[in-house]
Amino acid sequence: GGGGSRGGASAMLLGKEVKVDADACLQLIETTNNFVQSVTSSRDKCFSLSQRMRRAKIPLERIVSSPYCPPNVNETSLRHAIMDLRDCLENCSETTRKHGRRYLGRVVQWAFAASIKGDFGGCEEELVRCTSALEEIACKDTSSPQEPDLWSRRVLKGKGSKIRCISLVGRQLWYASKVLGVIDVDGANSPQVKEMTGGVIKCMLQIGRDGSMMSAAGVRELATSEVWTGHGDGKIAVWSL
């Protein structure tokens, strides 16, 4: 018979237009992500918007990973959702290019601050709406677990200057700058902070006490690992909790 089948049940092939638009969306996300690495103005806003764009990869990659339409999905609704997302991503990409390479003085930047904030805010709101709409259509198959939200986040206010390096040691996140801090990933213990007197920490590495690098499996062996830090004054320190 005609059409296609998957697991004995009839399945509808994914329309060419849907595939083209989905691929175009993924290309826009990748191009914008590459572009924001070299922006010279509105860096934080450009990076934040690019990260939100990458969030849309979850439903898009699920769609293009199969020649078939997702189960129990109306293809017309799917196409409209992807077209809306493509338009939104194009607008987001244009916004990063408009504001990411503006050579303005401080006074002029201050004068345009509200307008710039409004542009990025409007893009992020529309992007959340379009991404959620596509997820509702493409990821509602309850037979497989829902993919996690890659860009959901908790913001923990740290102490000291900007963070220069981080390392995950078991279920603890070690971060470093002018201080060395340890955060329990599961929130079981209060964050710990140690003031640095040996210069700003430049790099950090987890190493087994036998001198070997810790493997992916070895990170569970907390009793056998240490954190080594390299400092701006040339010193190396070895830490353990």
Side-chain angles (χ1 to χ4, degrees):
S5 64
R6 186 171 38 171
S10 62
M12 182 169 57
L13 287 170
L14 193 67
K16 180 181 178 181
E17 298 86 355
V18 172
K19 178 75 164 54
V20 168
D21 278 334
D23 285 335
C25 286
L26 289 168
Q27 184 60 50
L28 277 166
I29 293 168
E30 191 63 29
T31 300
T32 304
N33 181 62
N34 291 337
F35 171 77
V36 300
Q37 307 306 315
S38 61
V39 296
T40 55
S41 58
S42 301
R43 285 180 59 84
D44 290 346
K45 292 181 176 62
C46 286
F47 273 97
S48 176
L49 184 58
S50 176
Q51 287 186 345
R52 288 189 180 276
M53 291 173 70
R54 287 172 63 82
R55 174 69 177 82
K57 291 180 69 174
I58 294 174
L60 289 168
E61 289 178 342
R62 178 166 182 172
I63 290 167
V64 300
S65 66
S66 170
Y68 298 99
C69 204
N72 305 315
V73 168
N74 180 288
E75 188 178 14
T76 300
S77 298
L78 177 63
R79 186 182 179 194
H80 286 165
I82 291 183
M83 289 171 64
D84 285 347
L85 180 60
R86 182 176 179 176
D87 289 343
C88 179
L89 291 171
E90 287 175 345
N91 189 36
C92 291
S93 179
E94 178 59 31
T95 297
T96 62
R97 294 181 182 280
K98 175 182 176 182
H99 296 300
R101 295 268 176 89
R102 298 185 75 167
Y103 299 97
L104 304 175
R106 287 186 177 275
V107 175
V108 179
Q109 280 186 332
W110 179 83
F112 281 95
S115 174
I116 294 173
K117 182 179 180 180
D119 283 352
F120 280 98
C123 282
E124 291 198 357
E125 288 181 10
E126 183 66 7
L127 186 55
V128 168
R129 184 191 69 78
C130 290
T131 302
S132 297
L134 183 59
E135 285 178 328
E136 180 65 25
I137 295 172
C139 301
K140 65 180 181 180
D141 179 14
T142 56
S143 64
S144 60
Q146 183 78 12
E147 290 89 344
D149 183 350
L150 293 180
W151 299 112
S152 65
R153 62 181 181 178
R154 289 186 298 161
V155 177
L156 301 172
K157 291 192 177 296
K159 181 179 180 183
S161 62
K162 72 171 67 172
I163 293 176
R164 294 178 179 271
C165 48
I166 60 174
S167 180
L168 188 63
V169 183
R171 297 296 294 169
Q172 293 168 333
L173 181 69
W174 292 55
Y175 66 92
S177 56
K178 292 180 180 178
V179 301
L180 179 63
V182 181
I183 297 173
D184 192 287
V185 176
D186 300 312
N189 299 303
S190 299
Q192 301 181 51
V193 178
K194 171 75 173 177
E195 297 283 351
M196 291 293 99
T197 57
V200 172
I201 294 175
K202 297 289 188 178
C203 58
M204 180 162 49
L205 190 66
Q206 182 190 6
I207 301 178
R209 286 184 183 166
D210 60 355
S212 63
M213 287 288 295
M214 296 298 290
S215 66
V219 296
R220 298 189 184 92
E221 303 171 20
L222 297 183
T224 65
S225 65
E226 296 168 329
V227 172
W228 292 46
T229 55
H231 298 252
D233 61 358
K235 293 180 180 178
I236 294 176
V238 182
W239 308 84
S240 63
L241 291 179

